[in-house]
Amino acid sequence: MHAVAYLNDHYLKLKAGYLFPEIARRVREFGQEKPGLAKNIIRCGIGDVTEPLPDAAIEAMHRAVDELARRESFRGYGPEQGYDFLRDAITEHDYRSRGLEVTPDEIFVSDGSKCDCGNILDIFGPQNRIAVMDPVYPVYVDTNVMAGHTGEADSSGAYSGLVYLPCNETNGFVPALPKEKADLIYLCYPNNPTGATATRSQLESWVEYALASEAIILFDAAYEAYITDGNVPHSIYEIPGARKCAIEFRSFSKNGGFTGVRCGFTILPKELNAATKSGESKPLHPLWHRRFSTKFNSVSYPVQRGAESLYSKAGQEQVRSLIDHYLGNARILAAALQKTGLSVYGGINAPYIWVKAPAGYGSWAVFDKILNDIQVVITPGAGFGAQGEGFFRVSAFNSRENAEAVADRFQKVKW
Ligand code: MLT
């Protein structure tokens, strides 16, 4: 046989492309078949922000670019974990102000929490048993497939080797503790895709489980700014013991509208340890630092200044009004869907509404029907895992005008 370089076979196990490119492909196909109707399409699929950046961020980024234009204020490579000004602001506003112990050197500023959720696997061994919620943000699963932590997928898209934690109407979309041992557990609250939140006592039981079984929780808090209920924890570190068993991922995408600008951060507490092959307990912080400084140079100076500005007084007010805008859309959309008689979840502490499809409809069938009948793009629940079958997700990231139009259009679907 002709000598070849070898590819990573694990990639060949991935199903039908990442969910959102697959949706985009179907929408393109619809546009080719029905160009007249396609002109009216309103997208409530991918959770991408629609409103312009807050003024505070625009001004801060302009100023930073001007600094780079002058020899005396020019900057080249920044500190690998991110500039102090940003890590200090994060520490102060997101943690100390809530009485939480996180130090700036435990913060790693990155180009987004999606990237971090995947990259973090570099510092974990292949022996780990991985647990994910089902339905799940597909990035957690696909990055583990790529890393060779799974076997093949079955017809529902579930991979052998992963522990799936069912989240459904019965458990309020917060999973029960696994019966089998899990070493790395992905939790996402407020949740994408269901919009559910976990209570303090539910998170306490996960932290207790992780401490008792020496597991690590990978806590994705990308939507924490949407929490409106005063009792819902914003950070896993609000739970005693979490510093010994949890890594937290945060994002500026959904609060400051940075989905295109790109900035997020990971908290890796210094006392968080994992075991070597020979069973010795070692801290993970130096490994993540090594990984970070070898494969990454943090985020551009203007972007970090933009992120810092979100913590200023003006920035905080502007972020609040963006979130109020999207949560206002969520209220309008949820009420409209309830009016059609469907069971509706989420949308109160999260920008996502999770809807139970009428009996007899699979979630891709719902996707096609809603696209055909009212030219609205939703996300089929099955794209998030087997438990998502029979549900669909509506994103509240939109202009008010579009949210209102979609609310009206939902009344016209003949199920
Ligand atoms: C989504 O629609 O689920 C989001 O776009 C996820 C993300 O932020 O990557």
Side-chain angles (χ1 to χ4, degrees):
M1 208 218 295
H2 180 60
V4 289
Y6 295 101
L7 54 73
N8 178 347
D9 280 278
H10 301 304
Y11 278 61
L12 306 181
K13 297 178 204 158
L14 293 164
K15 301 298 278 183
Y18 180 57
L19 172 62
F20 295 105
E22 173 61 15
I23 291 175
R25 191 189 65 73
R26 289 188 183 221
V27 174
R28 259 195 320 276
E29 220 168 74
F30 178 77
Q32 281 152 8
E33 280 163 22
K34 300 180 178 162
L37 286 180
K39 279 200 219 98
N40 305 325
I41 285 178
I42 301 179
R43 292 166 201 273
C44 295
I46 191 163
D48 193 5
V49 293
T50 55
E51 304 308 292
L53 293 175
D55 287 344
I58 295 166
E59 285 157 20
M61 287 196 275
H62 276 303
R63 274 197 305 275
V65 171
D66 287 341
E67 280 180 55
L68 298 183
R70 290 190 299 270
R71 178 167 297 278
E72 60 281 12
S73 49
F74 175 75
R75 294 171 191 241
Y77 291 124
E80 63 266 16
Q81 278 186 240
Y83 282 100
D84 287 349
F85 60 76
L86 178 54
R87 289 185 294 132
D88 288 347
I90 292 169
T91 310
E92 195 47 49
H93 293 275
D94 286 331
Y95 297 99
R96 274 198 200 127
S97 68
R98 294 184 179 275
L100 305 179
E101 180 199 345
V102 165
T103 57
D105 57 355
E106 294 175 324
I107 299 172
F108 294 77
V109 175
S110 75
D111 55 345
S113 56
K114 174 182 184 172
C115 319
D116 285 348
C117 287
N119 292 335
I120 199 76
L121 294 177
D122 277 9
I123 64 167
F124 289 106
Q127 321 80 327
N128 287 309
R129 193 123 171 101
I130 317 283
V132 294
M133 302 164 70
D134 179 7
V136 61
Y137 177 41
V139 172
Y140 313 148
V141 172
D142 288 1
T143 53
N144 274 289
V145 175
M146 291 170 180
H149 297 168
T150 73
E152 299 289 339
D154 66 15
S155 57
S156 75
Y159 287 90
S160 65
L162 289 185
V163 179
Y164 286 92
L165 307 169
C167 297
N168 46 41
E169 290 167 291
T170 314
N171 60 23
F173 307 101
V174 180
L177 300 172
K179 292 199 177 62
E180 49 197 310
K181 164 87 171 90
D183 304 304
L184 291 183
I185 303 151
Y186 289 83
L187 294 180
C188 171
Y189 286 106
N191 185 250
N192 178 13
T194 63
T197 51
T199 63
R200 189 170 302 277
S201 73
Q202 284 166 329
L203 291 180
E204 277 165 3
S205 66
W206 276 101
V207 167
E208 211 173 287
Y209 170 88
L211 291 172
S213 57
E214 298 185 59
I216 290 179
I217 296 172
L218 302 174
F219 192 75
D220 185 350
Y223 299 94
E224 68 81 28
Y226 288 80
I227 295 172
T228 50
D229 179 338
N231 295 320
V232 171
H234 286 244
S235 164
I236 191 70
Y237 304 120
E238 290 182 41
I239 311 301
R243 283 180 56 83
K244 283 194 160 54
C245 67
I247 297 175
E248 180 161 292
F249 303 98
R250 291 273 188 116
S251 171
F252 295 107
S253 286
K254 312 293 159 90
N255 55 7
F258 275 30
T259 53
V261 175
R262 308 304 305 152
C263 196
F265 58 94
T266 292
I267 307 290
L268 209 152
K270 291 228 166 132
E271 60 253 55
L272 182 61
N273 284 9
T276 64
K277 228 188 250 172
S278 57
E280 204 185 334
S281 179
K282 294 251 189 208
L284 283 166
H285 186 281
L287 273 67
W288 185 234
H289 182 269
R290 188 71 164 85
R291 192 262 170 223
F292 225 70
S293 47
T294 304
K295 293 199 184 180
F296 192 52
N297 271 323
S298 198
V299 180
S300 76
Y301 176 66
V303 166
Q304 292 195 54
R305 280 292 185 202
E308 177 199 22
S309 77
L310 301 176
Y311 294 104
S312 67
K313 189 163 177 299
Q316 297 225 296
E317 281 164 17
Q318 291 157 14
V319 165
R320 192 67 254 157
S321 70
L322 276 177
I323 288 169
D324 288 347
H325 165 80
Y326 294 126
L327 284 176
N329 287 350
R331 271 194 300 278
I332 291 167
L333 290 164
L337 285 155
Q338 264 151 3
K339 207 166 136 196
T340 67
L342 297 175
S343 301
V344 175
Y345 302 93
I348 295 168
N349 296 289
Y352 297 124
I353 299 152
W354 189 242
V355 191
K356 189 164 188 178
Y361 280 91
S363 36
W364 280 105
V366 170
F367 175 88
D368 290 334
K369 180 161 181 64
I370 292 180
L371 182 59
N372 269 288
D373 286 8
I374 58 169
Q375 290 79 57
V376 171
V377 178
I378 51 87
T379 308
F384 297 103
Q387 296 284 324
E389 182 52 276
F391 286 85
F392 64 98
R393 191 191 76 174
V394 181
S395 158
F397 290 113
N398 232 317
S399 64
R400 183 53 51 86
E401 191 190 352
N402 275 351
E404 282 168 352
V406 170
D408 285 346
R409 289 188 197 182
F410 272 130
Q411 310 311 310
K412 301 190 179 106
V413 185
K414 303 254 174 311
W415 295 108

